[in-house]
Amino acid sequence: MAAALLSRVWSSSVSGPRYFLRCSATGTCSVEKWFSKESSSDNRPKHPLTAYIRFYKEQQPFYKKQHPGIGVVDITKKIAHAWRELPASDKQPYEAAAKTDRQIYKEQMIKYKAQLTPAQEAALKEERRRRVEKRRAARKKRQLTMLGKPKRPRSAFNIFMSEHFQEAKGILIQAKMKNLFEEWQKISSSQKKTYQQLAEDDKIRYENEMKSWEEQMKEIGREDLIRYKNRRKLSTRKKTKKKVASEKRATSLKKPSGSKVASAATKKKVKARQSEE
């Protein structure tokens, strides 16, 4: 089974769809498809460039010549800063070109969709849905990273792989993963127990850090980021508190206040005196 999974990963690195190997803490592994950004059809119209991307592509060669010693990231930062500082009048030609390209793209997409079969149209919708989900997941991941969410616990195999990845045989990542998985399958149960214990310790670390982090999220009003099971507990506690508070209010309304009791006693005394007279 493992050999078949790994052969699928290995063969996919040469041609066809790409796959990656996902392994759980128990050591069971599965091959999952890696969705690429490539279009599902060769003749599909390409997305038009934005005004900024046009500016970036135009300016990049000049910045590379001016700053030969710096990397792509620093060049990108410099170009982004230049774009922000660019006057609106200088941005206008890029924005006009982008607007024209968007219109052409819309017209091309109408023609492209018209010649699709129902199956191809369904595949196109599915591809678009995946892209949207991927962008949404990426945004959420960035947000959680900024909020300092603890890293998930590693499995025993992941710990083993991180320890031995550098010296693993193979040049490509897929080859290294293949060889490491084969090594993992060969090592004894006693050797695996060491990594399994490390994985258990990492789970405890994760749970402790998550409890602290979720308390912080409650304090800043981000209860939507709390794990579902803890969110249910929190909502149950809130409902209980509300119920107790409403019951107390109802009880206090039913009981007569001290002043009312005193006035009623006074009236009784007055009536008693009047009757005696």
Side-chain angles (χ1 to χ4, degrees):
M1 176 69 176
L5 291 174
L6 284 162
S7 65
R8 188 177 172 190
V9 174
W10 178 248
S11 61
S12 68
S13 64
V14 180
S15 63
R18 291 183 295 163
Y19 296 86
F20 68 95
L21 188 68
R22 186 187 293 281
C23 296
S24 66
T26 58
T28 57
C29 296
S30 62
V31 171
E32 297 185 16
K33 190 171 181 180
W34 180 281
F35 294 113
S36 70
K37 293 181 180 178
E38 297 300 320
S39 172
S40 58
S41 177
D42 293 333
N43 62 345
R44 179 180 171 179
K46 290 184 179 180
H47 280 275
L49 300 179
T50 63
Y52 167 68
I53 296 299
R54 285 174 173 277
F55 176 78
Y56 177 88
K57 291 185 78 172
E58 183 185 275
Q59 296 297 318
Q60 191 187 36
F62 300 115
Y63 275 83
K64 276 187 176 180
K65 285 182 182 178
Q66 289 176 2
H67 310 280
I70 66 173
V72 177
V73 175
D74 291 321
I75 286 175
T76 302
K77 286 179 180 178
K78 287 181 179 294
I79 297 173
H81 178 73
W83 174 257
R84 285 195 297 271
E85 297 296 317
L86 201 67
S89 57
D90 291 341
K91 285 182 180 180
Q92 201 276 329
Y94 300 101
E95 289 168 350
K99 187 178 179 181
T100 303
D101 274 7
R102 279 198 301 273
Q103 187 58 41
I104 293 169
Y105 172 75
K106 285 179 183 178
E107 292 170 1
Q108 288 176 340
M109 278 301 291
I110 291 168
K111 292 178 183 177
Y112 170 72
K113 287 180 180 179
Q115 51 89 33
L116 291 177
T117 64
Q120 288 173 327
E121 196 170 349
L124 190 67
K125 284 180 181 178
E126 177 61 20
E127 186 181 346
R128 187 162 56 246
R129 185 190 64 77
R130 283 202 306 265
R131 282 203 306 269
V132 170
E133 282 185 1
K134 193 175 178 180
R135 284 197 295 269
R136 193 176 294 148
R139 280 198 301 270
K140 188 175 180 181
K141 189 176 179 181
R142 284 196 299 269
Q143 185 187 46
L144 292 174
T145 303
M146 288 173 66
L147 290 169
K149 186 178 180 181
K151 289 185 178 180
R152 293 186 65 82
R154 295 181 298 168
S155 68
F157 173 67
N158 281 339
I159 296 169
F160 170 81
M161 188 166 62
S162 63
E163 279 189 7
H164 299 87
F165 191 79
Q166 293 299 327
E167 66 266 21
K169 295 177 182 178
I171 299 171
L172 298 173
I173 292 173
Q174 291 93 336
K176 283 179 176 284
M177 284 177 66
K178 177 179 180 290
N179 291 322
L180 284 170
F181 185 74
E182 287 174 352
E183 285 180 34
W184 174 255
Q185 295 292 90
K186 290 175 185 176
I187 65 173
S188 64
S189 300
S190 58
Q191 288 176 303
K192 281 184 180 179
K193 275 183 182 177
T194 305
Y195 295 101
Q196 286 163 356
Q197 184 56 54
L198 288 171
E200 286 299 318
D201 294 342
D202 203 30
K203 278 183 187 177
I204 295 167
R205 183 272 313 164
Y206 175 72
E207 284 300 323
N208 291 335
E209 288 182 0
M210 279 298 293
K211 282 178 185 176
S212 175
W213 184 76
E214 286 179 340
E215 286 297 325
Q216 292 175 11
M217 293 304 102
K218 278 188 257 181
E219 288 174 8
I220 64 172
R222 292 305 307 270
E223 292 171 4
D224 58 303
L225 297 177
I226 296 171
R227 287 172 292 182
Y228 180 69
K229 60 179 182 179
N230 293 343
R231 240 184 2 246
R232 284 184 67 185
K233 289 178 185 177
L234 184 64
S235 64
T236 303
R237 284 200 297 267
K238 282 184 175 180
K239 284 177 183 177
T240 305
K241 283 182 180 178
K242 282 183 181 178
K243 189 178 179 181
V244 170
S246 62
E247 285 174 356
K248 282 182 179 179
R249 282 197 300 271
T251 306
S252 64
L253 289 171
K254 286 176 183 178
K255 288 181 179 179
S257 63
S259 59
K260 287 181 180 180
V261 172
S263 61
T266 306
K267 284 179 182 180
K268 282 182 180 179
K269 285 179 182 180
V270 171
K271 284 181 179 179
R273 284 176 189 173
Q274 286 175 353
S275 62
E276 285 175 1
E277 292 174 356

